[in-house]
């Protein structure tokens, strides 16, 4: 089902359409939240809050063709709000080891999954070393797959600025990854 039809059915109260909409974007929203928070549990909570906001503000998106950038902008703003609240109210200490659960990997090849996870963690660590704007550009462009025009609209800067920042962010990320793999 196409997004405009799905949104129309959601606005008319169709619960199955809402479930389909959530399923369609939950991975993307969770990924965005995770890149901002760096914590899986916090990202799950934040993604749930974002979908609650979406449900309440579904009528605010008047152009169905720009729904995805509108949703990403709303999610980004929610992430920034959450980070501000976290900085204002620091968390307690780390979770005790006896409260953590270690489940076996469901994949057929644990060694390949380990290598993939190690590469993902390396990229995530390198991204944490980037400036806030460079990290945000990488997330919006490379991970969320938004166009330069959509990113410019979200960040409220000219498209040329987004292009140059994107190039600089990718270069900085590559430099960090090379430095981390050498060290």
């Amino acid at each position: 089902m196409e997004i405009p039809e799905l949104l129309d059915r959601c606005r008319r109260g169709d619960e199955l359409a809402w479930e389909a909409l959530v399923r369609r974007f939950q991975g993307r929203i969770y990924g965005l939240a995770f890149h901002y928070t760096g914590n899986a549990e916090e990202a799950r909570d934040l993604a749930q809050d974002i979908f609650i906001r979406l449900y309440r503000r579904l009528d605010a998106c008047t152009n169905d063709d720009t729904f995805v950038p509108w949703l990403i902008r709303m999610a980004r703003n929610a992430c920034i709000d959450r980070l501000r609240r976290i900085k204002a109210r620091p968390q307690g200490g780390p979770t005790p080891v006896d409260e953590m659960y270690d489940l076996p990997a469901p994949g057929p090849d644990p060694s390949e999954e380990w290598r993939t996870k190690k590469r993902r963690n390396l990229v995530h660590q390198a991204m944490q070393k980037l400036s806030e704007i460079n990290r945000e550009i990488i997330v919006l462009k490379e991970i969320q797959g938004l166009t330069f025009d959509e990113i410019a609209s979200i960040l409220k800067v000219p498209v040329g600025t987004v292009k140059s920042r994107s190039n600089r962010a990718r270069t900085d990320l590559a430099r960090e990854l090379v430095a981390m793999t050498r060290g």
Side-chain angles (χ1 to χ4, degrees):
M1 184 178 318
E2 295 298 316
I3 291 175
E5 181 184 349
L6 198 56
L7 291 172
D8 184 51
R9 289 178 58 188
C10 287
R11 288 180 185 121
R12 287 186 277 139
D14 184 337
E15 292 179 20
L16 292 176
W18 172 251
E19 184 178 337
L21 184 72
V22 171
R23 287 186 189 276
R24 188 173 202 162
F25 291 102
Q26 67 185 3
R28 205 168 179 180
I29 297 301
Y30 170 79
L32 182 70
F34 182 78
H35 280 286
Y36 275 93
T37 64
N39 178 299
E41 189 64 35
E42 185 73 25
R44 276 191 289 276
D45 289 346
L46 186 52
Q48 190 172 27
D49 290 346
I50 291 167
F51 280 110
I52 290 169
R53 279 188 191 191
L54 172 62
Y55 186 78
R56 291 178 180 158
R57 301 187 63 212
L58 206 51
D59 291 331
C61 181
T62 56
N63 184 350
D64 294 345
D65 295 332
T66 60
F67 173 75
V68 173
W70 177 82
L71 174 61
I72 298 297
R73 185 179 311 114
M74 186 181 67
R76 174 186 171 265
N77 291 342
C79 291
I80 291 169
D81 289 347
R82 178 71 59 99
L83 289 176
R84 285 182 186 142
R85 280 195 301 271
I86 289 172
K87 286 180 183 177
R89 181 183 37 126
Q91 297 177 343
T95 304
V97 175
D98 59 344
E99 292 181 21
M100 297 173 67
Y101 301 106
D102 189 21
L103 300 174
D109 184 7
S111 63
E112 181 59 37
E113 189 168 320
W114 177 81
R115 283 190 290 277
T116 301
K117 186 175 181 179
K118 188 173 180 178
R119 282 191 300 266
R120 188 177 299 128
N121 286 340
L122 186 65
V123 170
H124 185 69
Q125 288 172 0
M127 284 187 60
Q128 296 307 310
K129 293 182 178 187
L130 297 178
S131 69
E132 204 171 306
I133 188 66
N134 285 354
R135 187 170 46 249
E136 189 165 45
I137 291 288
I138 294 287
V139 168
L140 295 174
K141 177 71 176 122
E142 306 303 329
I143 297 171
Q144 292 296 321
L146 297 180
T147 66
F148 289 124
D149 291 332
E150 292 168 337
I151 296 169
S153 172
I154 289 170
L155 298 179
K156 295 179 176 73
V157 296
V159 174
T161 301
V162 172
K163 288 179 180 179
S164 65
R165 284 182 182 173
S166 176
N167 188 40
R168 189 175 321 119
R170 291 175 65 159
T171 301
D172 289 353
L173 179 61
R175 189 176 302 120
E176 287 295 337
L177 286 168
V178 168
M180 290 173 73
T181 56
R182 286 187 182 159

